[in-house]
Structure formats: structure tokens, C-alpha cells
């Protein structure tokens, strides 16, 4: 194995059910942590599922990272009958069934025939469920198993069910206890668990995990280095509408907040970007010139550059709000609900405004739209805050330190 500065680099295998990339939430975290490990001299091998929804250049960018090798398996499609029977018998969401039958476990087994990693890192409960059958063999060979939980998944599922229709809610309530049981078992089964927020960390600590540590989400500071605020009263909301809390958030804002903003700032315009915009939102945008439904945008920076204020009016959900970090890294002032700024330890102050009620939310937005200087000052403080606390470099360094702690007993035995 190649040495770096006279020190043998550590070997890390990362299992992800999505291709790590610069699009989305989970793939962005995975890509940037892998990138930092590569910069630190780690030898990384990624095992992931490739499907039609991956960005065109995602795999090329991943493979271009020094010391990173990538093994992909094709997405596995299940018939409706297989999905129905699987949900009834296995009591897990359909996508988890597809991941389990994807071939990820077989790809890992084939690779394990010739070598083994010091660290096997599983990205989310999905990856654990897909390859759980192989974990005893990794442990037998001395590999340490890490679960990067991202969220408390059964909390996310429960939040989504609160906004779902009757049939989906009924099915969800049927599988929810089993999903929690699988998640709890996974957390107790690994050598170390990584949580993104203090709230999630407290859940896993109370569960009695062997070892758990907070490895926060971050943001690409270079990518989101955007120029000064525009002159016009423009707003932006970013969030994919396949996630029910995002659709609920924008509906609440348009119904209860936006009319109050327009009453005070008649020229205000809101741009909504994110995949899968629902039909009602497209219709509303076509009928109201103050609402632009942009749908999916490959590069959001030009939208952020044209936006004076960013909003996160989310009412339900779990985990960490990556979009708020991207807003703040872009030096834009942010108005959010407490849930909209979840997992970041932020309170109303110089970096962000937290408002939980429609009138307070609208008042905060209008005050920033009317005072470009104040908006610019808040945006500048927001940028400085993420520079200090949420760079991927510092977060990746924390991950590497966790690896060192995990491997220290093994290394000590060999000296």
C-alpha cells in the first residue's frame, strides 16, 4: 500500500445506496466526507448503487478523487407484487427491500475475497440493511464497522406519515415499529455510530450505543461563495417536493405568510426550486406573478445570487437542514421556523431569524426586504458562522479523529 509522509494510509470502505455526488442531501455529505478522507491520504473504496437518477458526471467526479476506487451495482427493480409482499412480510419501506436485493452485499463479498478494510462505513440505515449479512465476516477479519446514521430514520418516517394520505399512513404505521426495531438493532450492532445533530445523538446515547459521536453536516464554502445581495425584493425556497414536509412548508408559507409579505412589499417575488413540484404549485405559480416555480435546478448558485432573503418555513421533520447551511454559506439572511433550522444549534440573532408563527415570519421577511444594509450584515455574519463551524474540511477532520480513536486499541497491540 502506498505511504503518505512515511505513514501507511488507512483503508476505508464506504457503502452507500446512492452515488455520492454534489446533488441532494445524503449524497452531498457522503461525497464531501470521502473527498476530505482522500485529501488526508486515506485509501477509500466506495460501493454504491447506480441508477437513472444519478447526476451524469457524479461517478466521474467521485473516481477523480485521489486514492478513491468505486464499485457500482445496478439498481434492482421489484415488481408491485414483490413490493407488496415484501412490505407485508418484512415490514420495511419498499426502497429498503430493493436495496437489499441490489447486489451490494455480493459486491462487498467479492471484494472481501482478496482484501479487507480497517474501516467499513455504512451510510444510513439503508446501507446497513442491504449488507447486514456480511458484517460478522468483516468483524471476524478485524474490520471496524461504522454507521453514519445521518438521521433517526424512524423519526423521519413518522414525520412524513403525519402528512400522508390514509392508505400510505396505514401502511406506514404498520411498518414503523419494525423500522424502529431494525434501526435500534443496527445502532447497537456497530462499533461506532455517527449522528449529524445533538438531538439525534441524544437518541442513540439513550439507546445505549457502544460508542456514538456527532459528525455534523457541512457545506462547500468555495462552491457557495456568492457576491453581494441583489437590489430587488426577492426570496428563495429550496427543497425537493418528494419530501412531504417540504411541500407542507411551502403551502403554509404561500397560504399564511406570503400574502402578508406582499401587503407590505408589493413587488416581492418568491422563487421555489426543487424536484417534483406538485401540480397545485405549478398552477398557483401560473396564476400569481409573485411566485416562480423553478423545479429542479442543476446549479442553484444563480438563483441564490438573485435572491435577497432565503426562507425555511418547515413545520415537521427530523435531521439537519442542509439547505440552511447553503443559504448561510451564500451570505444570505435566513428566516426559518425552529424545525426549518433543525439540527444546527441556531437561535435568533446575528446569523439567522427564527420565527414560528405566520405574522412573525412575515414581519421578519419584510424587515429584511426593506433594509438591504441589515440583510447584508446578517448574511455576512451567517457566512462567517459557517466558515467557523461547518466547513467540510473541519468536519472531515473530526471523522478522521473518530477513526483514529476507534483503531487505536488495534494499533497499540501491534507495537
Amino acid at each position: 500500500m502506498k505511504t503518505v509522509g512515511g505513514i501507511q494510509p488507512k483503508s476505508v470502505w464506504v457503502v452507500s445506496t446512492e452515488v455520492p455526488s454534489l446533488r441532494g442531501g445524503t449524497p452531498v455529505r457522503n461525497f464531501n466526507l470521502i473527498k476530505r478522507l482522500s485529501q488526508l491520504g486515506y485509501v477509500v473504496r466506495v460501493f454504491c448503487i447506480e441508477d437513472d437518477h444519478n447526476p451524469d458526471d457524479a461517478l466521474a467526479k467521485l473516481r477523480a478523487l485521489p486514492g478513491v476506487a468505486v464499485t457500482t451495482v445496478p439498481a434492482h427493480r421489484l415488481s408491485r407484487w414483490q413490493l407488496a409482499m415484501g412490505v407485508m412480510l418484512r415490514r420495511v419501506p419498499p426502497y429498503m427491500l430493493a436495496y437489499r436485493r441490489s447486489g451490494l452485499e455480493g459486491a462487498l463479498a467479492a471484494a472481501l475475497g482478496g482484501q479487507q478494510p480497517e474501516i467499513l462505513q455504512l451510510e444510513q440505515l439503508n446501507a446497513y440493511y442491504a449488507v447486514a449479512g456480511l458484517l460478522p465476516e468483516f468483524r471476524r477479519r478485524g474490520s471496524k464497522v461504522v454507521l453514519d446514521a445521518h438521521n433517526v430514520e424512524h423519526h423521519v418516517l413518522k414525520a412524513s406519515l403525519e402528512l400522508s394520505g390514509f392508505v400510505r399512513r396505514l401502511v406506514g404505521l404498520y411498518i414503523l415499529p419494525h423500522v424502529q426495531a431494525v434501526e435500534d438493532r443496527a445502532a447497537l450492532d456497530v462499533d461506532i455510530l455517527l449522528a449529524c445533530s445533538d438531538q439525534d445523538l441524544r437518541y442513540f446515547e439513550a439507546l445505549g450505543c457502544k460508542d456514538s459521536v456527532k459528525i455534523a453536516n457541512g457545506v462547500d464554502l468555495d462552491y457557495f461563495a456568492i457576491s453581494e445581495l441583489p437590489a430587488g425584493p426577492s426570496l428563495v425556497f429550496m427543497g425537493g417536493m418528494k419530501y412531504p414536509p417540504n411541500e407542507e412548508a411551502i403551502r403554509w408559507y404561500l397560504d399564511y405568510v406570503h400574502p402578508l409579505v406582499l401587503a407590505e412589499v408589493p413587488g416581492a417575488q418568491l422563487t421555489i426550486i426543487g424536484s417534483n413540484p406538485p401540480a397545485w404549485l405549478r398552477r398557483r405559480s401560473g396564476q400569481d406573478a409573485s411566485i416562480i416555480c423553478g423545479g429542479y435546478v442543476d446549479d442553484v448558485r444563480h438563483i441564490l445570487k438573485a435572491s435577497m432573503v432565503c426562507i425555511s418555513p418547515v413545520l415537521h421533520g427530523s435531521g439537519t437542514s442542509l439547505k440552511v447551511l447553503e443559504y448561510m454559506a451564500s451570505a444570505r439572511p435566513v428566516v426559518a421556523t425552529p424545525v426549518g433550522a433543525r439540527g444546527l444549534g441556531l437561535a435568533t440573532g446575528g446569523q439567522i431569524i427564527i420565527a414560528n408563527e405566520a405574522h412573525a415570519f412575515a414581519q421578519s421577511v419584510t424587515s429584511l426586504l426593506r433594509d438591504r444594509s441589515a440583510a447584508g450584515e446578517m448574511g455576512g455574519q451567517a457566512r462567517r458562522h459557517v466558515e467557523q463551524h461547518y466547513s467540510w474540511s473541519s468536519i472531515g477532520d473530526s471523522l478522521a479523529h473518530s477513526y483514529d480513536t476507534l483503531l487505536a486499541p488495534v494499533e497499540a497491540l501491534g507495537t
Side-chain angles (χ1 to χ4, degrees):
M1 187 181 293
K2 182 181 177 182
T3 62
V4 179
I7 300 174
Q8 192 179 63
K10 295 179 179 65
S11 173
V12 180
W13 288 7
V14 177
V15 182
S16 173
T17 52
E18 299 175 84
V19 175
S21 70
L22 296 175
R23 180 194 298 178
T26 296
V28 167
R29 174 181 172 87
N30 295 348
F31 181 90
N32 282 286
L33 289 179
I34 291 167
K35 178 180 177 181
R36 184 55 180 164
L37 292 175
S38 167
Q39 292 169 343
L40 293 172
Y42 284 77
V43 174
V44 183
R45 185 165 181 179
V46 181
F47 298 80
C48 56
I49 297 173
E50 184 178 8
D51 63 25
D52 296 337
H53 301 295
N54 297 320
D56 293 338
D57 59 349
L59 284 170
K61 288 182 177 178
L62 189 61
R63 288 180 169 131
L65 298 175
V68 175
V70 183
T71 298
T72 65
V73 297
H76 186 79
R77 309 298 180 191
L78 298 176
S79 68
R80 289 185 178 181
W81 172 252
Q82 288 174 316
L83 289 173
M85 291 303 297
V87 169
M88 290 297 295
L89 297 176
R90 297 283 186 176
R91 297 185 68 180
V92 295
Y95 54 83
M96 289 181 66
L97 295 169
Y99 295 151
R100 190 154 193 165
R101 299 188 185 184
S102 65
L104 270 178
E105 191 170 85
L108 265 185
L112 192 58
Q115 55 183 309
Q116 68 188 67
E118 292 170 276
I119 298 285
L120 175 68
Q121 180 154 315
L122 310 175
E123 297 299 337
Q124 296 187 289
L125 179 63
N126 296 334
Y128 174 88
Y129 190 76
V131 303
L134 265 184
L135 299 189
E137 179 62 18
F138 275 91
R139 290 197 186 87
R140 188 185 70 80
R141 296 180 179 221
S143 299
K144 297 294 185 180
V145 181
V146 177
L147 175 59
D148 188 2
H150 292 247
N151 307 294
V152 179
E153 290 300 330
H154 73 271
H155 287 174
V156 176
L157 176 59
K158 185 177 180 180
S160 296
L161 294 179
E162 293 173 3
L163 306 172
S164 301
F166 176 76
V167 173
R168 183 177 176 183
R169 188 182 301 119
L170 195 63
V171 173
L173 291 173
Y174 171 72
I175 68 173
L176 182 60
H178 185 68
V179 172
Q180 180 176 355
V182 172
E183 182 168 36
D184 290 353
R185 184 167 64 249
L188 296 171
D189 187 33
V190 298
D191 295 295
I192 186 170
L193 182 137
L194 312 179
C196 293
S197 69
D198 291 327
Q199 297 96 312
D200 292 347
L201 184 62
R202 285 193 291 270
Y203 175 83
F204 291 116
E205 287 177 339
L207 191 63
C209 291
K210 298 177 193 175
D211 197 3
S212 56
V213 63
K214 177 183 172 182
I215 302 294
N217 276 317
V219 65
D220 189 328
L221 296 170
D222 293 331
Y223 186 82
F224 287 101
I226 298 175
S227 59
E228 64 181 20
L229 295 176
S234 49
L235 302 159
V236 67
F237 171 84
M238 303 194 308
M241 296 297 167
K242 270 184 88 172
Y243 183 50
N246 282 339
E247 182 177 354
E248 180 202 34
I250 201 60
R251 189 188 288 273
W252 176 79
Y253 179 86
L254 291 176
D255 286 348
Y256 300 105
V257 181
H258 198 56
L260 301 176
V261 173
L262 292 178
E264 298 294 326
V265 186
Q269 192 167 61
L270 169 66
T271 299
I272 303 162
I273 56 176
S275 58
N276 303 104
W280 71 263
L281 182 56
R282 294 195 299 270
R283 286 195 303 269
R284 192 157 179 174
S285 172
Q287 297 164 359
D288 187 338
S290 72
I291 304 169
I292 299 173
C293 180
Y296 172 75
V297 175
D298 188 55
D299 187 345
V300 300
R301 289 175 295 181
H302 70 280
I303 303 291
L304 290 168
K305 186 176 182 180
S307 302
M308 189 173 175
V309 176
C310 301
I311 61 170
S312 182
V314 180
L315 304 177
H316 295 88
S318 182
T320 305
S321 179
L322 287 171
K323 296 305 180 187
V324 168
L325 289 180
E326 293 173 354
Y327 293 158
M328 295 174 72
S330 303
R332 264 50 188 168
V334 181
V335 181
T337 56
V339 177
R342 63 194 180 277
L344 301 176
L346 296 170
T348 292
Q351 303 123 10
I352 193 171
I353 297 176
I354 307 293
N356 200 28
E357 183 268 330
H359 282 273
F361 203 104
Q363 186 177 34
S364 301
V365 168
T366 56
S367 66
L368 290 168
L369 291 177
R370 286 172 165 173
D371 191 338
R372 187 172 180 274
S373 176
E377 175 60 26
M378 178 170 284
Q381 289 193 44
R383 170 73 188 191
R384 290 189 289 274
H385 183 77
V386 295
E387 287 175 345
Q388 293 171 6
H389 301 286
Y390 290 102
S391 74
W392 281 120
S393 293
S394 63
I395 292 166
D397 291 348
S398 296
L399 176 61
H401 177 72
S402 296
Y403 288 169
D404 290 341
T405 302
L406 185 61
L407 294 172
V410 175
E411 292 171 348
L413 289 174
T415 59

